Amino acid sequence: GVIAIEQADAIILGPGSFLTSIMPPLLLSEVGRAIANNKKAKLIFVENLSPEFGPAGKMSLREKLEWCERACQGRQIDVVLGEEAHPELEEWNCVTTPLASPNRDWRHDRDKLHDAIDALLRN
C-alpha cells in the first residue's frame, strides 16, 4: 500500500467518518511518510455532506485539516472539496461544487464526485 501511495497521482482523504475512517490510516507513520514523500500527487480532502456526531462533530474543518497535515508530516492538502464555501480557510484551496445524491442529500453522488475529482486532476 505504501508503494501505491508514493506512486499515486492523487491521494484522496474522505469522505467518511473523520476519527474512525480518515485518521486511523494516517496515524501509521509509514502511511503519513509516504503521503509526505509524494510531492507530485494532488492531496484532496473530501468533506462529508452531513455533520458528524460525537467527538468529530465538535471539530472544526480547520482542525480536521490541520490534524491530517500533521499526520502527513506537514504535507499541505492541495484541495478541500465540498459543497459549502469556507472563506475563513484562506490557507487552503477550497473548491465548492454540488456533490449530493439527488435522492439522499446526505450521501455523495458517485458520478458528481468522480467528475469533480477528475476536473481537479486535469487542472
Side-chain angles (χ1 to χ4, degrees):
V2 171
I3 293 169
I5 293 170
E6 288 174 342
Q7 296 175 349
D9 295 321
I11 300 166
I12 302 167
L13 306 177
S17 172
F18 185 72
L19 294 175
T20 60
S21 296
I22 297 172
M23 280 307 295
L26 298 181
L27 294 175
L28 297 170
S29 59
E30 59 272 18
V31 171
R33 189 171 30 255
I35 293 171
N37 289 339
N38 186 338
K39 307 288 188 226
K40 70 175 174 56
K42 196 164 270 194
L43 184 55
I44 303 167
F45 183 92
V46 180
E47 286 185 77
N48 287 336
L49 297 177
S50 58
E52 282 193 75
F53 299 99
K58 294 176 176 62
M59 295 178 73
S60 68
L61 179 55
R62 174 182 300 279
E63 289 172 312
K64 292 175 184 177
L65 299 174
E66 288 172 347
W67 277 35
C68 289
E69 289 181 352
R70 209 168 23 251
C72 297
Q73 301 180 353
R75 166 75 154 84
Q76 186 167 16
I77 292 170
D78 296 303
V79 180
V80 178
L81 183 61
E83 286 202 327
E84 294 179 33
H86 298 286
E88 75 283 5
L89 299 177
E90 48 205 36
E91 346 30 340
W92 289 278
N93 175 22
C94 296
V95 173
T96 59
T97 188
L99 296 171
S101 170
N103 56 350
R104 293 185 185 93
D105 64 354
W106 48 270
R107 187 179 206 171
H108 289 80
D109 179 274
R110 284 180 186 220
D111 293 331
K112 290 178 185 175
L113 187 56
H114 172 274
D115 292 347
I117 291 171
D118 189 50
L120 291 175
L121 297 178
R122 290 176 193 267
N123 292 338

